[in-house]
Amino acid sequence: MPEITLRAANDADIEAVAGVWHRGWADGHAGHVPAGLHAHRTLEHFLGLVPSRIPITTVAVANGRVVGFVTMHDDEVEQVYVDASARGSGTAAILLDRGEEIVAATYDRAWLAVVAGNVRARRFYERRGWVDAGPFDYSAETDAGTFTVPALRYEKDLRTQTV
Ligand SMILES: CC(C)(COP(=O)(O)OP(=O)(O)OC[C@H]1O[C@@H](n2cnc3c(N)ncnc32)[C@H](O)[C@@H]1OP(=O)(O)O)[C@@H](O)C(=O)NCCC(=O)NCCS
């Protein structure tokens, strides 16, 4: 794998981040969320979500290309997405470490939501010290109404971190 660089996202990254998010959403959620939700998770949907998140987004860059991103909102590591080409390479761990570091500047404990059926993501988080704190119903909003998605809340005590 080429060298991975982390940097704060900027508006020039909007399309690349939305593309990673769009493709990764399908990879992580297909078969694990209500089937009707897929039609609403278009590239345009993610292009609409990214701009307001740019100030809370860190991107991973390899060979000048955005290959992943993490967003933090208060004590939540809100999104961790890595392009298929960079999975299994350690890029996701570098991004998650940065997300935790940013949350740890203000909070002792971080949380995130993961779809129950997304076993690859769950294994990744668990290997990084996150624990399953229980199920909850995530309400996915769309133009056609709300879809209920079975999700899990994962938590990590950040006080044991050496950052
Ligand atoms: C989740 C994600 C960020 C993890 O990054 P990654 O580079 O794939 O993670 P890693 O390869 O380091 O770790 C994944 C673990 O799951 C395992 N794994 C791989 N495929 C798997 C599968 N189909 N089922 C179960 N476990 C699987 C891997 O072996 C690895 O575990 P190990 O290190 O103990 O062997 C990345 O897969 C991704 O972007 N997925 C799509 C988007 C997504 O789901 N984001 C998270 C939303 S909450």
Side-chain angles (χ1 to χ4, degrees):
M1 266 301 287
E3 187 187 349
I4 302 295
T5 307
L6 298 186
R7 62 166 172 76
N10 61 61
D11 286 351
D13 300 315
I14 289 172
E15 279 190 29
V17 170
V20 170
W21 197 349
H22 177 229
R23 293 187 298 274
W25 189 90
D27 291 344
H29 297 80
H32 312 307
V33 299
L37 183 55
H38 286 262
H40 300 279
R41 293 306 184 241
T42 59
L43 178 58
E44 289 66 33
H45 169 76
F46 293 102
L47 281 167
L49 295 182
V50 173
S52 66
R53 286 178 170 76
I54 286 296
I56 58 165
T57 301
T58 295
V59 291
V61 178
N63 288 333
R65 192 169 70 90
V66 171
V67 293
F69 69 95
V70 61
T71 68
M72 286 67 58
H73 181 249
D74 296 334
D75 58 344
E76 180 185 8
V77 177
E78 193 194 36
Q79 311 293 341
V80 186
Y81 278 74
V82 169
D83 188 67
S85 65
R87 290 182 199 149
S89 71
T91 303
I94 294 168
L95 280 166
L96 185 60
D97 284 353
R98 176 61 62 88
E100 291 175 17
E101 190 181 317
I102 290 170
V103 173
T106 312
Y107 299 92
D108 289 341
R109 202 167 181 82
W111 77 279
L112 59 79
V114 60
V115 166
N118 190 352
V119 288
R120 180 168 189 150
R122 290 176 60 185
R123 176 145 181 86
F124 165 69
Y125 294 132
E126 288 164 10
R127 195 160 42 76
R128 308 296 302 169
W130 290 74
V131 293
D132 180 354
F136 73 102
D137 285 338
Y138 175 79
S139 296
E141 311 292 343
T142 75
D143 295 343
T146 301
F147 290 83
T148 300
V149 177
L152 296 169
R153 178 184 174 98
Y154 270 44
E155 295 183 357
K156 184 170 181 178
D157 184 347
L158 302 173
R159 290 170 300 182
T160 55
Q161 297 277 86
T162 50
V163 290

